[in-house]
Amino acid sequence: MTAEVRTGSVAAPARARLSFLDGVRALAALYVVLHHIWFTVYPTYPVNSGPVFLGWLLYGHLAVAVFIVVSGFSLTVAPARRGYRLGGVARFLRRRAWRILPPYWAALGLSVLVFGLITPELTGRAITLKGVLAHFFLVQDVVDSPKPNGAFWSIAIEWQIYFLFPLVLLLRRRIGPLWMVVVSTAAVVAAQLVGENVGPLDGVLNLTPQFLALFVFGVAAAMVLEEGRTAPRWLGAAGVACFAVFVVLAVVFGSVWVDRGYFWIDLLVGVGTAAVLAVLAGGGFAPLRAFLASWALSRVGLFSYSVYLVHLPLLWLVDHFLVSVLVADPLARFGLLLVFGTAAVLGGSYLFHRVFERPFMENRSLAEVTAAIRGGRATT
């Protein structure tokens, strides 16, 4: 959901070598949009009440899992080139906050406007002061409250993982990538088992603990960025096998079973994603890397965070005021929402990106942002 850190002298070579990352983000964001288009028309998740051929759209949760792995990988690009040292915890957290919070807060405001003021008779119950405050302070995963935007749950989890990133890098330096993965995975499995079996501690499950392991998988995959490192040939096959296993499980057992087992499914898909990222970064999977680095996907990838933040209110507006007025048949409604909704999301998200995200990507202070908005020449 967020872009990689572009820091100092490593930014240009990293971008040249890792241009495929924007394509991965684009595909993940677009899949989330498609998932919510399906869900808008067929709100019966995890049961597929729509056509069988649309069943592949039920698994939007996995796109978020991919985002988390990509986040761990991309945030490790710079540290991997300097001995896995962060360069200052406070500096890192300040830059992460500057990068993700302003557009997030703007999207929260948009969600409140759409769901609380434009269509309050239908969606006003989603807007409460408690809910808005919980989301503003990114504690919606631990504070039970109405949700002004259902996609925001993962932003809180990723934000909280940032505070553990220095510890993850410390483990990477002290015990190496393999034991870092083993220790982190064991910790999240233990947390999951405690949450499932100890009633007073079941709130742990709201933290989606497996996402920490997924983030660590991404950190481990970044080892291919070290000088002289290459991805072993078998890694690509292992990554593809992980996705193939998921497909078989989904076909055999169905979406309800997958939904119940997302903890383990996330770990499986996370391993596959990390393996594929490592191979791509190491020069493998050339056709896939070229596809992901293509102009269209790269462009969408640049504002994929905005797509994720605002696609739900935009889809709601298009469906409520246009599509559902024109057609009643679910499949026809899906088709129209696919066309008009996707166009509105891409156009609206890009405008949102230009106004609320890009200024904070290109400028390092409020004064520079203000100058950029006013048309001045801000230092980047």
Side-chain angles (χ1 to χ4, degrees), residues 41-42 51 327-335:
V41 179
Y42 305 103
V327 296
D329 176 73
L331 189 56
R333 183 181 168 199
F334 176 86

Side-chain angles (χ1 to χ4, degrees), residues 13-89:
R15 289 299 300 161
R17 185 179 179 187
L18 305 176
S19 56
F20 66 87
L21 283 175
D22 283 328
V24 176
R25 293 188 185 94
L27 289 180
L30 291 173
Y31 183 69
V32 170
V33 173
L34 293 177
H35 168 72
H36 283 127
I37 290 174
W38 174 89
F39 185 79
T40 299
V41 179
Y42 305 103
T44 54
Y45 178 88
V47 176
N48 182 17
S49 60
V52 174
F53 65 85
L54 294 180
W56 63 280
L57 295 178
L58 273 75
Y59 306 106
H61 174 96
L62 291 180
V64 181
V66 170
F67 271 127
I68 295 295
V69 179
V70 171
S71 181
F73 182 91
S74 60
L75 289 176
T76 311
V77 169
R81 291 181 165 88
R82 53 174 183 252
Y84 294 95
R85 299 186 181 279
L86 197 56
V89 174

Side-chain angles (χ1 to χ4, degrees), residues 91-155:
R91 178 176 178 269
F92 166 76
L93 292 175
R94 183 171 61 251
R95 295 189 68 171
R96 283 286 85 197
W98 180 259
R99 172 67 180 86
I100 74 168
L101 292 184
Y104 168 77
W105 284 331
L108 177 60
L110 175 64
S111 300
V112 171
L113 174 66
V114 171
F115 296 121
L117 297 179
I118 296 179
T119 61
E121 70 282 0
L122 297 175
T123 54
R125 64 187 181 278
I127 309 301
T128 66
L129 179 60
K130 179 182 179 182
V132 172
L133 289 177
H135 284 74
F136 182 87
F137 291 106
L138 288 162
V139 292
Q140 59 264 35
D141 55 337
V142 295
V143 176
D144 186 23
S145 62
K147 297 171 175 54
N149 186 320
F152 285 174
W153 65 275
S154 64
I155 307 296

Side-chain angles (χ1 to χ4, degrees), residues 229-283:
R229 286 271 194 176
T230 58
R233 293 182 178 180
W234 57 264
L235 197 59
V240 172
C242 288
F243 288 101
V245 170
F246 162 70
V247 171
V248 171
L249 291 174
V251 170
V252 173
F253 296 104
S255 56
V256 175
W257 183 89
V258 170
D259 180 71
R260 292 172 182 165
Y262 260 136
F263 177 83
W264 303 104
I265 296 293
D266 283 347
L267 293 177
L268 175 68
V269 170
V271 169
T273 302
V276 170
L277 289 179
V279 173
L280 288 169

Side-chain angles (χ1 to χ4, degrees), residues 96-368:
R96 283 286 85 197
W98 180 259
R99 172 67 180 86
I100 74 168
L101 292 184
Y104 168 77
W105 284 331
L108 177 60
L110 175 64
S111 300
V112 171
L113 174 66
V114 171
F115 296 121
L117 297 179
I118 296 179
T119 61
E121 70 282 0
L122 297 175
T123 54
R125 64 187 181 278
I127 309 301
T128 66
L129 179 60
K130 179 182 179 182
V132 172
L133 289 177
H135 284 74
F136 182 87
F137 291 106
L138 288 162
V139 292
Q140 59 264 35
D141 55 337
V142 295
V143 176
D144 186 23
S145 62
K147 297 171 175 54
N149 186 320
F152 285 174
W153 65 275
S154 64
I155 307 296
I157 294 169
E158 183 166 356
W159 171 249
Q160 290 150 18
I161 289 175
Y162 290 157
F163 289 86
L164 297 176
F165 187 40
L167 176 60
V168 171
L169 290 181
L170 177 63
L171 289 176
R172 177 62 179 80
R173 296 196 304 272
R174 296 291 177 85
I175 62 178
L178 176 60
W179 283 106
M180 174 190 67
V181 169
V182 170
V183 169
S184 302
T185 304
V188 302
V189 170
Q192 180 74 11
L193 294 177
V194 167
E196 290 177 346
N197 297 285
V198 182
L201 298 178
D202 60 0
V204 171
L205 302 179
N206 294 331
L207 299 174
T208 320
Q210 69 268 29
F211 276 12
L212 174 60
L214 268 57
F215 185 89
V216 172
F217 296 164
V219 173
M223 73 172 68
V224 299
L225 302 174
E226 300 172 18
E227 187 175 354
R229 286 271 194 176
T230 58
R233 293 182 178 180
W234 57 264
L235 197 59
V240 172
C242 288
F243 288 101
V245 170
F246 162 70
V247 171
V248 171
L249 291 174
V251 170
V252 173
F253 296 104
S255 56
V256 175
W257 183 89
V258 170
D259 180 71
R260 292 172 182 165
Y262 260 136
F263 177 83
W264 303 104
I265 296 293
D266 283 347
L267 293 177
L268 175 68
V269 170
V271 169
T273 302
V276 170
L277 289 179
V279 173
L280 288 169
F285 289 157
L288 176 60
R289 192 170 67 252
F291 170 70
L292 292 171
S294 63
W295 180 86
L297 286 181
S298 295
R299 290 291 294 174
V300 175
L302 291 176
F303 62 95
S304 58
Y305 183 43
S306 290
V307 171
Y308 189 85
L309 287 176
V310 302
H311 73 278
L312 276 180
L314 293 176
L315 285 176
W316 168 255
L317 290 174
V318 172
D319 182 63
H320 179 65
F321 289 107
L322 177 63
V323 173
S324 61
V325 175
L326 295 176
V327 296
D329 176 73
L331 189 56
R333 183 181 168 199
F334 176 86
L336 284 181
L337 190 57
L338 181 64
V339 174
F340 294 114
T342 302
V345 166
L346 291 177
S349 298
Y350 180 70
L351 291 176
F352 181 91
H353 162 80
R354 291 296 301 266
V355 176
F356 296 108
E357 183 183 6
R358 185 170 170 179
F360 296 91
M361 295 171 61
E362 297 181 340
N363 302 282
R364 297 300 183 190
S365 70
L366 188 59
E368 291 178 356

